[in-house]
Amino acid sequence: MSDQHANLEWRDGAIPVSTRFDDPYFSLENGLAETTHVFLAGNDLPNRFTPGFHIAELGFGTGLNLLTTWAAWDAADMTAPLRFTSFEGFPMSAAEMARALSAFPSLATYSQRLVEAWAQDKTLTTLEGIKARVILGDARKMLGQHDFAADAWYLDGFSPAKNPELWDADLLQEVGRHTKATGTAATYTAAGFVRRNLQDAGFEVTRVPGYGRKRHMTIAQKLP
């Protein structure tokens, strides 16, 4: 389990920025729209939702991706809980999470439940309504210790230029090994070495239009 924690400063009093990686946790324009564009649409969600669907994520951050997906799952009238597994090396405090998520009032009912569970246990064992689990620690060490195959991956580490460890070849090989045949992955970055590492991990990789000022992003599908 990680004994590290997030080091934050706040831009405009509302947007958390990691001082360790000099990178914001979500879009300075509209974090909710970015999550929807990059991670949901990038994985063809909610169209692919089925009972038992499993999303895995590198970089839990504020929990915004989980909340956005959870709300979309409920809006799609799915009856069984969504399964969501995330890896986080530098967790923020519950108070920091609450402050960050206050920027998204449309998710307030979900945010309150997440923050309360996070305050009790950062692995989210007490969060009801979704089968969520946050695995704390360095994903390069932790992912290989877990046995699952995800339907979709959210690759949401900090910028590859500032946090290359979360995009390295060995870790993305593990992502490939933890993805179902024809499963997908999406990320906001179109960095060449990230795309090559995904290809080497068994994915067919496509560059598509990004969100806002980011011209391109990456989607990928595991080859059968």
Side-chain angles (χ1 to χ4, degrees), residues 8-217:
L8 304 181
E9 63 183 18
W10 296 86
R11 191 167 299 174
D12 300 328
I15 298 170
V17 178
S18 168
T19 57
R20 181 179 280 105
F21 298 107
D22 187 30
D23 209 23
Y25 277 81
F26 46 74
S27 168
L28 305 182
E29 299 172 61
N30 187 325
L32 181 56
E34 180 180 47
T35 288
T36 301
H37 177 90
V38 174
F39 297 114
L40 274 76
N43 282 291
D44 192 24
L45 306 177
N47 294 334
R48 292 173 57 219
F49 283 161
T50 54
F53 199 83
H54 186 185
I55 293 170
E57 174 183 57
L58 295 181
F60 185 71
T62 64
L64 176 61
N65 296 342
L66 179 150
L67 297 181
T68 305
T69 310
W70 189 3
W73 182 265
D74 285 354
D77 293 325
M78 302 301 295
T79 53
L82 172 68
R83 187 176 176 196
F84 195 102
T85 303
S86 187
F87 293 81
E88 177 58 53
F90 304 99
M92 57 177 58
S93 70
E96 290 167 336
M97 180 178 286
R99 180 176 176 182
L101 293 175
S102 67
F104 308 105
S106 65
L107 296 173
T109 56
Y110 295 95
S111 300
Q112 182 177 358
R113 293 158 71 181
L114 173 62
V115 171
E116 288 176 357
W118 188 256
Q120 295 171 6
D121 175 11
K122 289 183 173 63
T123 68
L124 297 183
T125 56
T126 66
L127 182 59
E128 297 182 355
I130 183 173
K131 291 182 177 178
R133 183 183 185 192
V134 177
I135 297 166
L136 301 174
D138 188 332
R140 294 173 296 174
K141 300 176 182 177
M142 304 303 292
L143 178 52
Q145 299 177 20
H146 295 272
D147 184 19
F148 65 83
D151 295 284
W153 274 90
Y154 296 172
L155 304 179
D156 197 23
F158 290 112
S159 165
K162 299 172 180 178
N163 182 205
E165 298 84 1
L166 217 56
W167 308 92
D168 73 19
D170 289 345
L171 179 54
L172 293 185
Q173 285 285 337
E174 285 293 339
V175 167
R177 281 192 283 270
H178 287 76
T179 306
K180 293 179 181 177
T182 72
T184 60
T187 178
Y188 61 86
T189 183
F193 86 95
V194 173
R195 301 201 329 267
R196 289 190 295 272
N197 287 346
L198 283 167
Q199 288 173 334
D200 291 344
F203 289 91
E204 181 180 11
V205 177
T206 306
R207 190 173 68 171
V208 296
Y211 174 77
R213 289 174 288 181
K214 294 177 180 172
R215 291 180 59 194
H216 299 113
M217 56 172 272

